[in-house]
Amino acid sequence: MLITQAFSADRSSLEYFRLSIEEIQKGLSFEESISQSRGATGTLTRSEVRKIIKHTKKSLEYSKFVKDDDLDWMDPSLFFKSLSKNYENLFREGLRLKIEAWNEGDPVIGLKANRLLNEWGSYYRKMRKKL
């Protein structure tokens, strides 16, 4: 009976993982559409800033429901599982910093947030090829 439970473990937190990724992609797509329509020198409205922050906060909220054990289960590595660690250190931390940067108007924090989220994107694309 215990063995059956171990193999049929509830992995529902992975749905939140998917939602967190999709939500930040919506925000990034919105940012990209603004950039394409106005170029690099355009000014954002308060409404646009709120929308960017909303997507980022929603992504972070979804991420809080994701269990490290589920990410480790999904990680195809045999010994050195890195998905849960990188999800926390790159993705979640990047989201936290992005929210802080927008709220504080601090471009240095924004650059760090972008670096972390870009590192996460590179890592995750490589990981998905293994899945």
Side-chain angles (χ1 to χ4, degrees):
M1 182 182 222
L2 291 175
I3 294 172
T4 304
Q5 288 177 345
F7 287 114
S8 64
D10 176 24
R11 302 281 180 215
S12 62
S13 86
L14 292 176
E15 176 65 14
Y16 289 104
F17 174 75
R18 182 185 64 77
L19 290 171
S20 72
I21 301 296
E22 287 177 357
E23 193 62 39
I24 197 59
Q25 286 176 335
K26 288 177 191 176
L28 293 172
S29 292
F30 178 68
E31 290 177 44
E32 181 66 24
S33 70
I34 292 170
S35 176
Q36 287 179 351
S37 67
R38 294 191 203 145
T41 59
T43 303
L44 297 173
T45 66
R46 288 184 193 269
S47 174
E48 290 168 335
V49 171
R50 281 193 299 271
K51 188 170 181 176
I52 291 167
I53 293 171
K54 181 191 91 158
H55 283 298
T56 308
K57 283 183 174 179
K58 197 169 182 182
S59 179
L60 183 60
E61 285 302 311
Y62 284 139
S63 79
K64 291 177 182 178
F65 295 107
V66 179
K67 297 175 186 172
D68 286 349
D69 288 345
D70 289 350
L71 293 176
D72 288 341
W73 173 82
M74 193 170 83
D75 190 332
S77 304
L78 292 177
F79 299 109
F80 300 108
K81 304 226 178 245
S82 59
L83 182 57
S84 62
K85 181 185 84 158
N86 285 322
Y87 187 66
E88 176 61 36
N89 296 335
L90 300 176
F91 185 71
R92 284 185 184 131
E93 185 61 17
L95 295 175
R96 287 184 202 103
L97 290 173
K98 184 172 180 156
I99 293 165
E100 181 182 345
W102 280 106
N103 285 332
E104 302 295 323
D106 189 328
V108 174
I109 294 173
L111 290 171
K112 184 173 182 183
N114 285 341
R115 182 182 55 78
L116 290 174
L117 291 171
N118 286 337
E119 284 180 36
W120 163 258
S122 296
Y123 167 80
Y124 188 60
R125 278 190 294 282
K126 289 177 190 173
M127 172 66 68
R128 285 192 50 107
K129 287 180 183 177
K130 295 177 185 177
L131 297 176

